[in-house]
Amino acid sequence: MKCFRIVMIMTASLSALFLSVSMPVRAAETPPGEKASAQEERPVYQVRFSGPGLLVYADPALPQVPAAVLADQTQVQITEGPMDSLVRVRVCGTEVEGYVDMRYLKRSDAVVEDYDMYTYEEMEEDIRALQARYPGLLRSEVTGTSADGRNLYLLSIGAENAPHHILVHAGIHAREYSNPLLVMEQLEQCLDYYDNGRFMGMSYRELFANTAVHIIPMVNPDGIAISQFGEAALRSPDLVGMVRACYAYDVAAGRTQSPYEGYLARWKANARGVDLNKNFPFGFGVGVRAVQPSYAGYCGLLPFSEPESASLGAVTLRYQPSVIINYHSMGEVAYWDTSESRYTEINRGFSSYMLTLVPYRRMGSSGATGSYLDWIYSGDSPVRSITFETGNVECPLPAGQYPKIWVQHGNVLQHAAWYASTGL
């Protein structure tokens, strides 16, 4: 194999390599027959979202002068790890090995793809495919059905009787549909590394034996379908009528000046015009912005009146998670407390830890208005939680926002699981 002594420039080949050292970083010594066999069995990963290139280091003692720089779409195979956020890789077709940041690698045959618009149907297909690829590791459960007949899924990894539990949920607001893609990709990454990764001195298998992770990837599938495809996405004629009535009300009340299609793209509520993040008991009905069903801001007739909020509440009560990650959009800010929270002090340390990973602006607390955060902070079970608002432009977020979001949040799930397991 050729020794790379100068920087190579990528041309037509998607797996082009840029090197900036006089000698390559060499692979560990292995009998030739064993090396070839092992290499053939390892999945291939691709570099992505790396901008000017992914830095390769000769050893994990960072920082240092990079030994090589890999262009996007360069193909590699993982030879060790991940170890925390680093993996040791071999560049396909070369003798080059070194350590890179795991967040910039994705399996070439990954189940969860980087969709411009991640739909309910794609999520269902991905759940089935992940269960087939990782039998015994991923548990899928339907916890309810939406008003328009879509399943409400709960996905779990780790020991069912683990001493600690964390809950992650996304897509409670319809137009924030980039976040279900994010949490599904976080899940697949942990499954992929379950048997060969290490984090904070523990194997992934040990980490998730101590802390079970429960993910509700799409709290509001009906609303997401409306935001993505308009009223044609609804199966029920009655719900189509409800959505049209919402538009008439919001136009008459001066709550929107958008044409109907643009109004639906900005939809936040479920298919019955209820803002699910105002449908929880603590502070219910306080400061409502809509007095009847609407695209946003209507709390519903009663707390937990909606199947989606009732399902999320039931899962929360069932597992009593000590750590909860809530994904919303937009603004690159983080909410961590409420004025009436019973758990401000224990949550201060957790939120500070998470904000060292994701450099979002910390937001101050406010009074209760029936949100999920208000409810969990008013309960009898101590809980640490943070709400990440991904993206920095108006929702729905364009696909170009996702690369930055992934790099910011690519290893949040592992850190949350570790934090829960340590009891800090």
Side-chain angles (χ1 to χ4, degrees):
M1 294 185 182
K2 183 178 179 180
C3 290
F4 293 88
R5 299 177 182 274
I6 60 174
V7 175
M8 298 179 63
I9 302 176
M10 183 178 68
T11 56
S13 173
L14 292 179
S15 61
L17 172 67
F18 294 83
L19 294 182
S20 58
V21 292
S22 58
M23 292 293 290
V25 184
R26 299 189 61 85
E29 293 297 327
T30 310
E34 292 183 19
K35 180 186 292 185
S37 175
Q39 285 296 111
E40 290 172 2
E41 293 175 359
R42 297 187 186 117
V44 174
Y45 294 75
Q46 289 184 330
V47 176
R48 61 173 184 158
F49 304 157
S50 61
L54 178 61
L55 302 182
V56 180
Y57 296 95
D59 63 62
L62 306 180
Q64 56 183 278
V65 176
V69 182
L70 307 182
D72 277 354
Q73 305 304 315
T74 301
Q75 294 185 339
V76 303
Q77 289 176 303
I78 294 176
T79 61
E80 184 184 3
M83 299 146 285
D84 296 339
S85 62
L86 293 177
V87 288
R88 184 173 178 83
V89 300
R90 166 183 282 267
V91 180
C92 294
T94 77
E95 294 184 0
V96 176
E97 287 195 3
Y99 295 89
V100 301
D101 188 324
M102 62 180 276
R103 296 172 300 172
Y104 293 93
L105 298 182
K106 186 181 181 77
R107 276 182 66 153
S108 298
D109 63 345
V111 168
V112 182
E113 299 181 11
D114 299 330
Y115 297 99
D116 290 347
M117 184 183 289
Y118 193 58
T119 67
Y120 168 81
E121 291 75 18
E122 287 160 342
M123 180 193 70
E124 277 201 314
E125 184 178 343
D126 288 348
I127 291 170
R128 290 190 291 268
L130 287 172
Q131 285 187 293
R133 177 173 285 182
Y134 302 102
L137 294 185
L138 174 62
R139 302 185 299 280
S140 174
E141 177 183 347
V142 175
T143 60
T145 306
S146 70
D148 202 36
R150 292 175 174 85
N151 290 334
L152 305 175
Y153 286 98
L154 171 66
L155 308 177
S156 299
I157 60 174
E160 293 187 58
N161 60 347
H164 308 283
H165 296 266
I166 74 169
L167 175 63
V168 181
H169 71 82
I172 195 170
H173 284 148
R175 66 193 187 193
E176 300 169 12
Y177 53 76
S178 291
N179 294 322
L181 170 61
L182 171 64
V183 299
M184 286 295 291
E185 190 168 358
Q186 288 174 330
L187 171 65
E188 181 174 18
Q189 182 190 75
C190 288
L191 290 168
D192 186 26
Y193 295 147
Y194 206 95
D195 285 317
N196 56 19
R198 298 191 64 80
F199 191 81
M200 298 293 196
M202 292 187 285
S203 69
Y204 270 51
R205 185 169 284 276
E206 180 184 4
L207 175 65
F208 295 122
N210 290 331
T211 306
V213 177
H214 310 283
I215 298 175
I216 301 177
M218 194 175 286
V219 176
N220 183 12
D222 293 352
I224 286 175
I226 293 170
S227 181
Q228 291 175 335
F229 302 111
E231 68 172 41
L234 292 173
R235 306 161 181 175
S236 165
D238 290 341
L239 291 175
V240 172
M242 173 66 78
V243 169
R244 292 176 179 175
C246 290
Y247 183 60
Y249 161 68
D250 284 330
V251 169
R255 304 190 77 239
T256 186
Q257 297 180 344
S258 298
Y260 188 49
E261 293 76 12
Y263 168 83
L264 295 183
R266 296 273 297 157
W267 192 267
K268 289 181 69 175
N270 72 351
R272 295 174 6 142
V274 175
D275 187 328
L276 298 175
N277 205 37
K278 294 187 177 299
N279 193 233
F280 292 87
F282 194 77
F284 178 79
V286 175
V288 294
R289 297 181 181 179
V291 297
Q292 66 184 61
S294 168
Y295 84 106
Y298 176 58
C299 63
L301 294 175
L302 294 168
F304 293 127
S305 63
E306 305 310 297
E308 301 91 346
S309 54
S311 177
L312 174 57
V315 170
T316 305
L317 292 174
R318 173 178 164 189
Y319 289 108
Q320 299 289 316
S322 58
V323 166
I324 298 176
I325 306 291
N326 316 283
Y327 273 112
H328 284 254
S329 296
M330 61 189 176
E332 294 190 345
V333 297
Y335 294 92
W336 70 283
D337 195 27
T338 63
S339 297
E340 297 91 348
S341 174
R342 299 173 60 184
Y343 305 113
T344 296
E345 291 308 313
I346 65 168
N347 199 35
R348 192 184 308 278
F350 170 70
S351 60
S352 296
Y353 177 72
M354 299 307 290
L355 289 173
T356 63
L357 309 172
V358 182
Y360 284 4
R361 181 163 57 94
R362 181 191 293 269
M363 299 299 288
S365 57
S366 59
T369 58
S371 73
Y372 178 75
L373 206 62
D374 296 323
W375 178 61
I376 62 172
Y377 285 160
S378 68
D380 293 330
S381 297
V383 62
R384 300 160 177 85
S385 181
I386 194 165
T387 299
F388 287 120
E389 299 272 356
T390 62
N392 57 19
V393 298
E394 287 193 355
C395 295
L397 299 178
Q401 290 275 299
Y402 188 73
K404 182 180 180 183
I405 291 170
W406 171 254
V407 171
Q408 291 170 332
H409 295 270
N411 54 15
V412 160
L413 196 151
Q414 296 94 315
H415 280 279
W418 175 81
Y419 197 99
S421 71
T422 61
L424 294 177

